[in-house]
Amino acid sequence: MDSSRGKNCESGEAELLPAEPPVSAEKDQIVPLSGNPFLTFVVSWSHVHDPYQVLLPKRFYPFLPSACVPVTLSYGNRTWKMKYSCKGILRRLCCGWKNFAVDTDLKVGDGCVLELMDSNNLLFKVQILRHGDVPGKSDKGVSCDAPISIDD
């Protein structure tokens, strides 16, 4: 279900619909990717504050349409509708991204994985790695002599 808050992307008018409670942390279970194209990013200020948008990397453009179309993000058992915009040279998720960011309690420093599940209807499955769950900097993995051990 899509609950809209903020400004309507097309008209600039505010839309207020009933908000659902934030999605619980149990949805943060990380699962293997299915082999579809995916992109990753660390949540920054513009993802969780005005202008509430995600700029998509150029390397992902071949998987995206050349027209502005609706996009759906799936996280846990919920979905969010938003707009994929490709005006000018930038491609981005907007007009609905704010709802997703607020509902999932995204914070600066969280990691996001968006896996393209349906390129015809632009459906992305989202995984969130919370800031505290992302491994910090260490000396492991810097060289073959100091590998990262996942089973530790």
Side-chain angles (χ1 to χ4, degrees), residues 6-110:
K7 291 187 176 184
N8 178 309
C9 201
E10 301 303 320
S11 67
E13 297 172 6
E15 288 184 25
L16 292 175
L17 297 176
E20 293 187 24
V23 177
S24 69
E26 69 188 35
K27 304 300 183 234
D28 293 339
Q29 178 181 340
I30 303 303
V31 296
L33 298 173
S34 64
N36 293 323
F38 67 94
L39 60 100
T40 62
F41 61 91
V42 175
V43 175
S44 68
W45 184 261
S46 65
H47 297 137
V48 294
H49 296 91
D50 279 335
Y52 287 99
Q53 64 182 358
V54 175
L55 295 177
L56 301 172
K58 192 170 188 172
R59 65 176 171 72
F60 209 74
Y61 289 7
F63 304 108
L64 301 170
S66 57
C68 298
V69 296
V71 63
T72 303
L73 297 187
S74 171
Y75 177 69
N77 61 353
R78 290 193 49 204
T79 60
W80 289 260
K81 302 282 187 192
M82 60 196 63
K83 181 180 174 185
Y84 161 71
S85 176
C86 60
K87 293 181 181 176
I89 60 170
L90 298 178
R91 302 203 180 175
R92 61 194 173 115
L93 301 179
C94 58
C95 304
W97 172 261
K98 178 179 181 179
N99 298 335
F100 177 79
V102 170
D103 291 347
T104 58
D105 196 30
L106 278 182
K107 304 281 187 220
V108 171
D110 288 345

Side-chain angles (χ1 to χ4, degrees), residues 103-124:
D103 291 347
T104 58
D105 196 30
L106 278 182
K107 304 281 187 220
V108 171
D110 288 345
C112 282
V113 179
L114 276 63
E115 185 174 12
L116 184 60
M117 304 306 286
D118 183 346
S119 59
N120 294 324
N121 297 308
L122 275 195
L123 169 64
F124 287 93

